[in-house]
Amino acid sequence: MAKERALIDMSAEMTATPFDDPHWPRASAWLAGSHFENARVKLAVIGAPLNRSITPGHCHEAPAAIRKVLERFSLMELDRHVDLRAVAVSDLGDLDLSLSSPEDALEPIANLIRGALGGNDAVIVLGGDNGITRPGVHGMGVDLARCGLLTLDAHFDLRDTKAGLHNGNPVRALLKDGLPGPNISQIGLQSFANSPDYAEIAVKANIAYHTVDQVREIGLTKIVEQELVRLGHLADVIYVDLDVDVLDRVFTPGTPGARPGGLMPSEVRRAAYLLGANNRVRVMDIVEVDPQRDVNDVSIMAAASFLLGFAAGMVSRHSHGSR
């Protein structure tokens, strides 16, 4: 009987509400609006649960899952001693895209981003699949000739558009829309995850791309820094597409397109910090996580850490907004 009581007590302890420590503020409370009164850096978060992937799944569930897992994160970026309460964040909720194709989603996503940018330094868009990237770029409200696109992705996303738009061709669609190839930087591309035909399209379009092996040789932060400088000479604003399949598959079991040999979450989180610190970066999407495929929230937690890393980087945009 004593053993059974002990097991019951242990079970109750495991399912109890987490201890509410006022000295350990949670990222979920921050997303809900808890920030310093003098926070002058402003970030908007939007859910765009588009789910028309080549690989059928449940990416539309990711925005809610990312918000939920923020309960398990604190607000301190420890290396640079940044408190995220120095960023005033507004959660604008999710668009209803349950019946939308990527073509149908263009205006709703672009319009919401365009409106959010009017009162914020940057916007993070939680996908959904990679089909939201094209609407996101259009949402920056700048002529495509003056836009930059930086992708952290295992794939070119240059598949043919003749059969319609999907998560495998947003970059191809943007090229057709008029985004100049040199204004595109693709980082983390994987061998045996891309085709010769689409690699040739990237070369002909003068897209700057860096494979995951090149990233290993040079370093992700160095390449990101170099590409931000290069794009800064060509573009007034920069859009970042962070496809979570850029990670090694062991770190993102909930991302169907991930392959062995990809990047580590800590590398990408540091890159997200650099991107958040750059004034030209106005929008970043985080895409391609399927919570139903995930294991122990590994993929969702990685995605959430990228959101937080970007927000921490934003503090340096206006140092007077920190505390």
Side-chain angles (χ1 to χ4, degrees):
M1 180 66 70
K3 184 176 180 181
E4 290 177 357
R5 184 175 293 109
L7 289 172
I8 292 172
D9 292 342
M10 182 180 296
S11 175
E13 180 180 345
M14 291 175 65
T15 58
T17 302
F19 178 65
D20 186 14
D21 183 349
H23 303 290
W24 207 94
R26 298 177 184 275
S28 53
W30 166 73
L31 185 64
S34 177
H35 56 77
F36 295 143
E37 289 185 6
N38 66 338
R40 296 193 179 101
V41 186
K42 295 183 178 181
L43 169 68
V45 174
I46 295 168
L50 189 66
N51 191 47
R52 293 296 183 94
S53 300
I54 296 172
T55 304
H58 302 85
C59 288
H60 61 290
E61 297 179 6
I66 292 171
R67 290 184 178 95
K68 176 66 176 175
V69 84
L70 287 175
E71 295 176 351
R72 295 153 67 181
F73 286 87
S74 76
L75 296 176
M76 175 60 69
E77 202 283 338
L78 200 56
D79 288 298
R80 301 165 187 85
H81 207 74
V82 173
D83 190 325
L84 282 191
R85 287 175 294 184
V87 178
V89 63
S90 301
D91 185 353
L92 303 183
D94 292 355
L95 284 164
D96 182 4
L97 301 174
S98 57
L99 300 177
S100 297
S101 67
E103 292 87 350
D104 296 334
L106 174 61
E107 288 303 320
I109 295 174
N111 288 339
L112 186 55
I113 290 174
R114 194 174 296 116
L117 285 174
N120 292 280
D121 296 287
V123 175
I124 289 181
V125 188
L126 304 176
D129 65 43
N130 221 151
I132 71 171
T133 298
R134 177 178 177 249
V137 171
H138 282 279
M140 292 197 294
V142 176
D143 189 283
L144 290 179
R146 298 301 301 170
C147 287
L149 171 63
L150 187 150
T151 76
L152 293 167
D153 197 329
H155 306 94
F156 283 113
D157 288 342
L158 289 169
R159 288 176 182 258
D160 205 309
T161 60
K162 291 178 182 177
L165 301 181
H166 49 71
N167 66 326
N169 59 22
V171 178
R172 183 73 169 272
L174 283 165
L175 284 174
K176 290 191 171 185
D177 291 341
L179 181 65
N183 290 27
I184 302 172
S185 173
Q186 301 194 274
I187 303 172
L189 297 163
Q190 280 265 43
S191 293
F192 310 115
N194 294 283
S195 81
D197 288 346
Y198 298 138
E200 184 178 356
I201 289 172
V203 171
K204 287 183 176 179
N206 291 315
I207 292 173
Y209 69 85
H210 305 266
T211 68
V212 72
D213 287 346
Q214 291 168 338
V215 171
R216 289 277 180 248
E217 292 174 7
I218 300 170
L220 180 59
T221 55
K222 187 172 183 179
I223 289 177
V224 168
E225 288 172 343
Q226 291 173 346
E227 286 304 297
L228 285 173
V229 170
R230 187 184 70 81
L231 291 175
H233 293 306
L234 300 171
D236 299 321
V237 294
I238 297 172
Y239 185 101
V240 176
D241 165 34
L242 201 169
D243 185 334
V244 181
D245 74 16
V246 77
L247 297 179
D248 190 296
R249 193 173 181 88
V250 73
F251 298 117
T252 185
T255 306
R259 299 287 190 275
L263 301 177
M264 296 178 63
S266 57
E267 294 176 288
V268 176
R269 176 174 51 79
R270 288 195 295 271
Y273 181 95
L274 291 175
L275 295 163
N278 190 286
N279 285 306
R280 291 184 188 270
V281 176
R282 301 301 312 281
V283 186
M284 181 175 82
D285 67 39
I286 302 173
V287 298
E288 295 294 334
V289 178
D290 182 342
Q292 292 200 23
R293 293 173 180 261
D294 207 2
V295 177
N296 199 28
D297 293 333
V298 170
S299 313
I300 290 295
M301 292 191 78
S305 76
F306 304 151
L307 185 162
L308 299 177
F310 183 93
M314 287 186 66
V315 173
S316 66
R317 296 191 185 196
H318 305 289
S319 58
H320 57 274
S322 60
R323 171 174 164 175

